[in-house]
Amino acid sequence: QVQLVESGGGLVQAGGSLRLSCAASGRTFSTQVMGWWRQAPGKEREFVATIRWSGGSTYYADSVKGRFAISGDNAKNTVYLQMNSLKPEDTAVYYCGAGYYSGSLYRKPSDVAYWGQGTQVTVSS
């Protein structure tokens, strides 16, 4: 099993920044890809960004490209999401996810093997 623990959410004004962290423990050999998904009230969970440990390739949703940056510290089994120029529409519960690499860095929520508990991000206008 893999345990994912997120931190770093909070309340920020539009245009501000936040940094989320996700630490993985347990069978981390199965966390070849880690990333972030988010779920706003009344909406389905959606893909945000992923990173592949081998090679460091990243992939972003169009809605966050240029504003968010995903990175990782392999030694700490920790992935980060730096969120800049935040907008009210970024308000959501952000979930860390992980799983094996299967040829694509885009992952539907149904394809994610492991989830964290989520952390709330609220952007006020």
Side-chain angles (χ1 to χ4, degrees):
Q1 277 289 13
V2 172
Q3 293 78 43
L4 303 174
V5 178
E6 302 110 330
S7 61
L11 173 64
V12 65
Q13 288 189 329
S17 300
L18 280 175
R19 188 192 194 207
L20 306 182
S21 301
C22 174
S25 61
R27 297 163 65 91
T28 55
F29 61 85
S30 59
T31 59
Q32 298 169 345
V33 174
M34 290 184 67
W36 297 91
W37 288 254
R38 65 187 182 185
Q39 188 165 15
K43 295 187 177 181
E44 294 185 349
R45 195 171 297 189
E46 64 176 9
F47 169 82
V48 175
T50 49
I51 185 168
R52 184 184 179 192
W53 288 120
S54 176
S57 300
T58 59
Y59 189 74
Y60 296 91
D62 287 343
S63 59
V64 306
K65 205 173 292 183
R67 300 188 298 122
F68 291 11
I70 189 169
S71 62
D73 185 332
N74 213 338
K76 297 181 179 179
N77 292 314
T78 299
V79 65
Y80 306 96
L81 186 68
Q82 178 66 43
M83 304 184 294
N84 300 324
S85 302
L86 282 161
K87 305 174 181 180
E89 50 264 44
D90 294 318
T91 294
V93 177
Y94 283 69
Y95 294 91
C96 177
Y100 287 101
Y101 178 68
S102 59
S104 172
L105 284 176
Y106 171 73
R107 292 293 172 86
K108 297 180 296 183
S110 57
D111 294 334
V112 178
Y114 304 102
W115 290 108
Q117 80 284 357
T119 185
Q120 177 70 46
V121 171
T122 303
V123 184
S124 62
S125 57

